[in-house]
């Protein structure tokens, strides 16, 4: 591996760098249709400038240059030639890595090219125009990288600025045609990134990625194989990702089972790791359970390190030997064969001791075969699910191992580093879900996690030292395209899309993907889509108890946003319709139809009990919604891009009941005895609609697009002090003026169902009505409890308090005692 050493050094030093250096992506490249004296003619009068690389440069540089040639062809119908000599040329795009491209090195040595801003940096590049760089050459556009990925990222960034979406292949997002391309870079520097390792985890691939790959991409192996991974690796480079956790469900053979997979990863400069249940790059589901007998000539013993150490040790040892020359991040520790607890001792302390022994032995293996200090070998420990309990019970983790904190599977990070943990040499990272299979309910069909939530949680993590590695569980990749791109853009530059800016991302993305004419409409569609899903993801609708009024409001809102989505589709040029169907129309209309199916079904049963024959109309609407989901999914698989995505989309992942047709009213169910219901009037206040705020210690800010109301309030900075009840008066607060009826009123404060930041903190607020006594509540909730399960499905946790009031205008003051507390709504009954 020719460029691996810098990665190891940065693994140890990136935390310090990230805290003192800003990501520097200055003014971009101006792309012009007409020539200017100081612009580079990439395509002019039917001729494209050549792309020059050095044969001694890394494979990924050649790969990126070939991709750029295809991109220019897609824009202009002119394909640049790929050359490795300047002979016979008058201009050129020079693409190369410092120390590996003779022309770039010559310009640096001759002081014609200043690379001091990128030299020695991690994954950093420079795009600059050089006049008369060599004899006979009028102009050169130089894309210089500090390392092999830096060069590739620079190339793909230029393609992006020319109008080529990262999803040009993966979502058929065709670029707009231009007759000419004249480029005017303003000394563009890209990087270094905020987060050292930025990755995707291909997971739960059984109903999308795997059947599609087996049918369309790798029919020879009937699996996710080299042809699929080559496309995934290019996508990752376009998104500036560098780390892969490969697909690993029982339907997919192990990544290393196909020798071309790791070979291609190295060629594309993709770092390979293993997820929380794949220690030492081993896929236990396949390699231990299924293929062990082929690899070792006998069946494996028990997956217990305390009773079968020698066999498991050798199994790990062989993978380490196989990956000596590859750029890898090793997961240390041990869980069950798949997503379950580590077999072994019955006591917690016994498990802690055994896990410590496992990690020590794994590190001995790495030191033995990788021939460098253990502190320079990238290792992670992921305290996911039950492993967090073992870590909290006293596991002694080596200082140089990176702790990768996990969310609770629903986008809320369970724990971040304490002040002591923030001083660890290995620092920390985050494993975050955009897709999930498991309790209380899956969300494998559509992606509805908002950029605002991603930004709030991940920027909070970054502030607590999670700068080393961010890993996103992306399921089948589709249909989570925008959310994946946002997550990786945030990981690249955490300041660009901080929580106060995250809501603007949809407009920026829409303009780049579909054009300025449609950007505002698409941004509003995404805003409504995320807000509606915050109170029940499409896969969770039947598990949330909506009132009849809320059902009607929800149906109307979904029908409205779907009409807006379809209206944009009609206006789009034909070249963008397939992309729009995949990226907007299918998820938005699909979410609408799922809501209509369940809400109309519930409404039909309720009306039938009341003797209302409108129940039958509701039942018909529920059936129509179900049928439309099936026909839309069929079109996705067979109609879009001439059947390119056949097998990728399913209307019933994991065959969960939520995807079935629910029970609806029939003629026989119409009651002869009407029922009458009474609903207690409630007042609902959006937390962001405060009348005043006080900022004594920290500030209260509004975050757009966050939570069930579409806006929320929280404290900044997130690293501020937590305040006890005795010192509540110092806490930042918000005030609300609202008419109140006399009597005892129940006030529910509905909050983002997040978790306390770390041990020693809470998620507490104090509430005071009309200058009465202050009531304190803590809305933090342990994962896997029944309360937590309800919270993540309905999109909020809540504290409740009773207040005796007189009639008239009331004043409610809410004190935010802890950073990390996000208030979305107040409900008064």
């Amino acid at each position: 591996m020719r460029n691996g050493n810098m990665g190891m050094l940065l693994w140890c030093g990136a935390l310090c760098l990230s805290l003192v250096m800003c990501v520097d992506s200055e003014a971009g490249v101006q792309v012009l249709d007409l020539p200017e004296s100081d612009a580079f003619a990439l395509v002019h009068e039917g001729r494209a400038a050549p792309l020059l690389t050095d044969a001694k440069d890394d494979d990924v540089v050649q790969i990126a240059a070939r991709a750029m040639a295809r991109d220019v062809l897609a824009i202009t119908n002119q394909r640049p030639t790929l050359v490795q000599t300047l002979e016979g040329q008058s201009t050129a795009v020079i693409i190369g890595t410092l120390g590996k491209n003779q022309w770039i090195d010559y310009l640096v040595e001759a002081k014609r090219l200043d690379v001091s801003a990128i030299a020695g940096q991690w994954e950093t590049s420079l795009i600059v125009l050089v006049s008369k760089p060599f004899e006979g050459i009028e102009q050169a556009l130089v894309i210089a990288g500090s390392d092999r990925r830096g060069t590739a990222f620079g190339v793909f960034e230029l393609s992006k600025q020319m109008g080529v979406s990262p999803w040009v292949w993966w979502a058929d997002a065709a670029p707009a045609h231009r007759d000419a391309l004249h480029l005017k870079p303003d000394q563009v520097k890209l990087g270094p990134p905020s987060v050292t390792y930025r990755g995707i985890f291909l997971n739960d691939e059984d109903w999308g990625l795997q059947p599609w790959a087996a049918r369309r991409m790798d029919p020879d192996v009937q699996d996710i194989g080299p042809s699929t991974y080559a496309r995934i690796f290019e996508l990752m480079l376009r998104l500036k990702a560098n780390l892969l956790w490969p697909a690993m469900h029982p339907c997919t053979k192990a990544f290393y089972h196909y020798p071309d997979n790791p070979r291609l990863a190295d060629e594309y400069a993709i770092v390979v790791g293993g997820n929380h249940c794949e220690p030492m790059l081993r896929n236990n589901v396949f390699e231990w359970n299924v293929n062990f007998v082929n690899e070792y000539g006998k069946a494996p013993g028990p997956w217990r390190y305390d009773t079968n150490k020698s066999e498991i040790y050798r199994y790990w040892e062989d993978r380490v030997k196989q990956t000596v020359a590859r750029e890898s991040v090793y997961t240390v520790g041990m869980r069950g064969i798949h997503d379950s607890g580590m077999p072994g001792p019955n006591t917690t302390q016994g498990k802690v001791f055994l896990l410590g022994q496992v990690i020590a032995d794994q590190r001995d293996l790495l030191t033995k075969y990788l021939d460098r200090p253990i502190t320079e070998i990238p290792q992670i420990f992921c305290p996911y699910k039950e492993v967090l309990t073992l870590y909290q019970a006293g596991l002694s983790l080596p200082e140089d191992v990176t702790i990768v904190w996990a969310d609770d599977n629903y986008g809320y990070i369970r724990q971040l580093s304490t002040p002591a943990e923030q001083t660890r040499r290995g620092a920390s990272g985050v494993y975050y879900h955009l897709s999930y299979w498991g309790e209380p309910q899956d969300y494998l069909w559509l992606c509805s996690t908002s950029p605002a939530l991603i930004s709030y949680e991940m920027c909070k993590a970054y502030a607590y030292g999670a700068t080393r590695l961010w890993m996103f569980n992306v399921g089948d990749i589709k249909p989570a395209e925008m959310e994946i791109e946002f997550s990786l853009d945030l990981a690249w530059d955490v300041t660009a899309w901080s929580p106060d800016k995250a809501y603007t991302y949809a407009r920026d993305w829409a303009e780049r993907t579909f054009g300025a004419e449609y950007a505002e409409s698409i941004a509003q569609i995404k805003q409504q889509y995320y807000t509606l899903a915050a109170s029940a993801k499409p896969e969770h609708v039947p598990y949330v108890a909506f009132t009849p009024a809320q059902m009607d409001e929800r149906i109307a809102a979904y029908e409205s946003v779907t009409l807006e989505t379809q209206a944009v589709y009609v206006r789009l040029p034909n070249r963008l319709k397939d992309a729009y169907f995949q990226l907007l129309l299918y998820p938005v209309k699909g979410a609408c139809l799922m809501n209509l199916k369940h809400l109309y079904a519930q409404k039909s049963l309720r009306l039938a009990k009341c003797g209302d024959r409108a129940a039958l109309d509701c039942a018909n609407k529920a059936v129509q919604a179900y049928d439309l989901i099936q026909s839309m999914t069929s079109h996705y698989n067979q109609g879009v891009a001439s059947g390119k995505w056949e097998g990728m989309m399913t209307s019933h992942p994991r065959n969960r009941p939520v995807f079935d047709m629910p029970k609806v009213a029939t003629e026989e169910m119409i009651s002869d005895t009407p029922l009458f219901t009474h609903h207690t009037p409630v007042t609902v206040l959006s937390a962001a609609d405060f009348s005043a705020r006080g900022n004594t210690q920290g500030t209260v800010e509004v975050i757009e697009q966050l939570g069930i109301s579409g806006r929320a309030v929280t404290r900044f900075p997130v690293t501020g002090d937590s305040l006890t009840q005795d010192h509540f008066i110092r806490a930042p607060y918000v005030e609300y003026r609202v008419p109140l009826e006399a009597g005892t009123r129940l006030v529910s404060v509905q909050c983002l169902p997040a978790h306390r930041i770390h041990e020693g903190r809470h998620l507490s607020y104090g509430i005071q009505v009309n200058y009465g006594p202050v009531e304190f509540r803590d809305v933090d909730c342990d994962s896997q409890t029944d309360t937590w399960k309800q919270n993540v499905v309905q999109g909020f946790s809540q504290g409740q308090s009773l207040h005796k009031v007189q009639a008239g205008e009331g004043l409610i003051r809410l004190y935010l005692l802890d950073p990390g507390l996000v208030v979305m709504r107040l409900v008064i009954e």
Side-chain angles (χ1 to χ4, degrees):
M1 181 188 64
R2 288 179 283 183
N3 214 35
N5 290 338
M6 185 177 290
M8 302 310 140
L9 293 173
L10 264 293
W11 179 266
C12 302
L15 175 61
C16 296
L17 287 171
S18 67
L19 295 179
V20 299
M21 298 181 65
C22 294
V23 176
D24 187 12
S25 50
E26 289 105 338
V29 178
Q30 293 184 54
V31 182
L32 310 171
D33 292 317
L34 299 176
E36 291 189 8
S37 59
D38 54 349
F40 180 81
L42 181 56
V43 176
H44 179 64
E45 295 182 347
R47 180 183 178 276
L51 309 182
L52 174 70
T53 61
D54 193 316
K56 296 179 181 178
D57 215 330
D58 290 283
D59 292 328
V60 70
V61 175
Q62 320 302 335
I63 289 169
R66 291 195 295 270
M68 181 177 172
R70 294 195 306 270
D71 291 346
V72 173
L73 176 66
I75 298 169
T76 66
N77 293 328
Q78 303 296 324
R79 183 191 289 271
T81 57
L82 302 175
V83 300
Q84 294 186 336
T85 176
L86 281 173
E87 187 175 345
Q89 310 297 338
S90 59
T91 63
V93 179
I94 305 177
I95 301 169
T97 308
L98 300 185
K100 298 187 177 183
N101 182 291
Q102 58 182 306
W103 296 280
I104 290 175
D105 291 347
Y106 173 83
L107 291 173
V108 172
E109 188 175 343
K111 302 191 183 305
R112 300 293 313 283
L113 179 63
D114 182 3
V115 296
S116 58
I118 69 170
Q121 299 291 341
W122 173 256
E123 297 180 345
T124 304
S125 57
L126 186 69
I127 304 174
V128 63
L129 190 60
V130 180
S131 179
K132 298 185 184 301
F134 307 102
E135 185 177 350
I137 305 299
E138 289 298 313
Q139 272 185 327
L141 182 68
V142 177
I143 305 174
S146 63
D147 53 29
R148 59 178 182 162
R149 278 190 296 273
T151 305
F153 292 156
V155 171
F156 284 117
E157 177 64 21
L158 183 59
S159 281
K160 182 177 176 180
Q161 296 201 24
M162 290 190 300
V164 179
S165 167
W167 304 98
V168 61
W169 191 88
W170 274 93
D172 307 292
H177 176 78
R178 289 175 178 263
D179 290 329
L181 284 171
H182 297 272
L183 308 179
K184 198 172 179 181
D186 183 19
Q187 189 87 0
V188 175
K189 177 183 168 228
L190 187 71
S194 297
V195 179
T196 309
Y197 287 90
R198 309 163 306 282
I200 61 173
F201 176 21
L202 309 174
N203 195 212
D204 308 323
E205 68 275 14
D206 313 51
W207 294 272
L209 187 63
Q210 201 281 340
W212 168 78
R215 184 177 303 173
R216 303 288 300 185
M217 299 298 294
D218 290 283
D220 53 331
V221 296
Q222 295 284 294
D223 204 354
I224 301 175
S227 296
T228 308
Y229 275 115
R231 288 292 186 181
I232 291 170
F233 295 155
E234 181 180 312
L235 173 67
M236 292 175 67
L237 292 175
R238 289 182 182 273
L239 295 171
K240 295 189 285 294
N242 59 9
L243 175 63
L244 175 76
W245 286 359
M248 46 70 70
H249 264 221
C251 63
T252 306
K253 293 182 175 64
F255 181 80
Y256 288 93
H257 182 71
Y258 304 110
D260 282 344
N261 285 349
R263 177 186 61 79
L264 282 169
D266 191 50
E267 290 180 5
Y268 279 82
I270 298 299
V271 185
V272 179
N275 68 62
H276 51 83
C277 55
E278 291 186 316
M280 307 301 281
L281 303 178
R282 276 293 195 175
N283 175 333
N284 303 319
V285 173
F286 177 75
E287 293 184 297
W288 184 269
N289 271 0
V290 177
N291 201 55
F292 191 95
V293 67
N294 296 323
E295 187 173 348
Y296 294 102
K298 68 183 185 72
W303 181 252
R304 284 191 56 154
Y305 202 71
D306 54 347
T307 62
N308 194 25
K309 172 179 175 177
S310 61
E311 195 167 64
I312 296 172
Y313 185 93
R314 179 189 175 192
Y315 169 74
W316 288 336
E317 181 177 34
D318 289 343
R319 180 53 42 81
V320 173
K321 290 190 288 186
Q322 184 183 357
T323 56
V324 166
R326 307 290 189 198
E327 202 172 355
S328 307
V329 173
Y330 295 90
T331 298
V332 298
M334 188 175 183
R335 297 187 69 215
I337 291 288
H338 195 178
D339 191 357
S340 59
M342 176 183 67
N346 294 323
T347 67
T348 297
Q349 285 306 313
K351 288 181 182 293
V352 168
F353 177 81
L354 180 60
L355 188 56
Q357 182 183 10
V358 165
I359 293 171
D361 290 347
Q362 290 169 335
R363 286 164 60 82
D364 286 344
L365 277 174
L366 295 175
T367 302
K368 177 180 178 181
Y369 289 102
L370 297 189
D371 194 29
R372 55 183 179 271
I374 190 65
T375 55
E376 295 179 11
I377 299 171
Q379 305 152 72
I380 65 168
F381 173 77
C382 190
Y384 183 62
K385 292 186 177 177
E386 82 292 338
V387 184
L388 179 58
T389 303
L390 299 182
Y391 175 73
Q392 292 171 334
L395 176 70
S396 180
L397 191 68
E399 281 285 305
D400 56 282
V401 175
T402 297
I403 302 174
V404 177
W405 302 111
D407 70 347
D408 61 1
N409 304 315
Y410 289 83
Y412 310 104
I413 300 171
R414 291 180 65 187
Q415 177 173 322
L416 292 169
S417 297
T418 64
E421 287 165 336
Q422 289 174 49
T423 66
R424 298 179 69 259
R425 179 173 182 171
S428 66
V430 177
Y431 168 44
Y432 193 88
H433 288 77
L434 300 177
S435 174
Y436 179 64
W437 165 347
E439 290 189 343
Q441 300 297 334
D442 302 353
Y443 55 101
L444 297 173
W445 183 40
L446 304 176
C447 183
S448 53
T449 305
S450 73
L453 176 59
I454 298 167
S455 177
Y456 183 77
E457 288 293 299
M458 299 305 284
C459 288
K460 178 173 65 177
Y462 190 85
Y464 280 81
T467 62
R468 190 62 54 81
L469 182 149
W470 287 7
M471 175 57 66
F472 297 95
N473 185 321
V474 301
D476 297 309
I477 297 176
K478 301 175 71 64
E481 293 94 339
M482 193 194 96
E483 295 79 11
I484 294 171
E485 187 172 354
F486 173 80
S487 299
L488 293 169
D489 281 351
L490 182 69
W492 180 263
D493 183 355
V494 76
T495 64
W497 302 109
S498 52
D500 59 312
K501 304 173 189 173
Y503 76 99
T504 68
Y505 184 86
R507 194 193 187 288
D508 181 83
W509 174 85
E511 182 171 349
R512 287 189 281 106
T513 309
F514 297 103
E517 179 182 351
Y518 312 101
E520 188 57 40
S521 295
I522 291 173
Q524 292 177 7
I525 289 166
K526 294 294 281 187
Q527 169 72 31
Q528 184 75 334
Y529 172 75
Y530 290 128
T531 299
L532 286 166
S535 54
K537 290 180 179 293
E539 300 90 340
H540 300 166
V541 175
Y543 311 111
V544 176
F546 294 110
T547 67
Q550 289 172 332
M551 286 185 183
D552 290 341
E553 291 171 4
R554 195 169 181 84
I555 288 170
Y558 261 118
E559 288 179 333
S560 175
V561 73
T562 300
L563 286 174
E564 294 171 19
T565 308
Q566 292 176 154
V568 173
Y569 179 80
V570 171
R571 291 164 47 206
L572 285 168
N574 288 334
R575 69 177 175 86
L576 291 173
K577 287 187 181 293
D578 280 347
Y580 188 85
F581 182 87
Q582 296 167 69
L583 298 172
L584 271 299
L585 187 55
Y586 184 85
V588 173
K589 190 171 182 178
C592 172
L593 292 170
M594 182 66 78
N595 276 264
L596 266 54
K597 180 184 76 172
H598 285 289
L599 298 181
Y600 273 126
Q602 293 174 24
K603 191 173 180 180
S604 76
L605 297 174
R606 176 170 51 83
L607 292 176
K609 290 181 180 180
C610 296
D612 191 336
R613 297 190 62 79
L616 301 179
D617 182 54
C618 291
N620 288 334
K621 289 179 177 178
V623 172
Q624 291 170 8
Y626 173 85
D627 291 341
L628 282 172
I629 291 173
Q630 313 316 311
S631 62
M632 279 185 64
T633 304
S634 177
H635 177 69
Y636 197 121
N637 287 309
Q638 298 166 12
V640 171
S642 302
K644 173 180 175 180
W645 301 108
E646 184 179 4
M648 176 62 82
M649 186 54 61
T650 178
S651 61
H652 49 278
R654 212 156 74 91
N655 297 315
R656 301 295 288 167
V658 68
F659 299 110
D660 296 339
M661 181 62 214
K663 181 180 179 181
V664 296
T666 63
E667 182 76 37
E668 294 75 22
M669 297 169 66
I670 305 296
S671 173
D672 293 330
T673 308
L675 300 176
F676 299 95
T677 58
H678 173 72
H679 300 288
T680 303
V682 299
T683 300
V684 179
L685 300 175
S686 171
D689 294 335
F690 49 80
S691 57
R693 57 182 160 182
N695 302 320
T696 52
Q697 183 165 325
T699 63
V700 176
E701 302 294 341
V702 175
I703 304 298
E704 302 288 343
Q705 199 190 75
L706 184 59
I708 58 177
S709 297
R711 306 174 76 213
V713 297
T714 190
R715 269 184 61 178
F716 285 104
V718 293
T719 53
D721 292 337
S722 290
L723 298 171
T724 64
Q725 295 180 13
D726 293 340
H727 297 96
F728 78 90
I729 199 67
R730 293 163 47 198
Y733 64 85
V734 283
E735 290 183 345
Y736 305 88
R737 295 190 177 276
V738 58
L740 297 173
E741 295 183 6
T744 300
R745 298 287 162 237
L746 175 67
V747 181
S748 302
V749 179
Q750 297 179 347
C751 305
L752 198 72
H755 302 273
R756 65 178 185 178
I757 291 173
H758 57 63
E759 292 183 64
R761 291 188 183 266
H762 305 277
L763 286 180
S764 297
Y765 67 85
I767 184 169
Q768 183 183 46
V769 179
N770 291 341
Y771 303 104
V774 179
E775 297 284 339
F776 298 97
R777 298 291 183 271
D778 184 354
V779 296
D780 183 37
C781 182
D782 290 339
S783 295
Q784 307 307 316
T785 63
D786 289 342
T787 300
W788 167 82
K789 291 177 182 178
Q790 184 60 39
N791 289 349
V792 295
V793 169
Q794 69 188 8
F796 65 88
S797 57
Q798 66 179 351
Q800 295 183 313
S801 53
L802 292 171
H803 303 267
K804 187 173 289 188
V805 301
Q806 297 179 342
E809 184 179 66
L811 178 67
I812 300 175
R813 177 176 284 189
L814 196 66
Y815 294 93
L816 280 61
L817 273 63
D818 287 283
L821 176 70
V822 179
V823 183
M824 302 181 292
R825 195 161 65 184
L826 284 75
V827 179
I828 306 168
E829 303 178 51

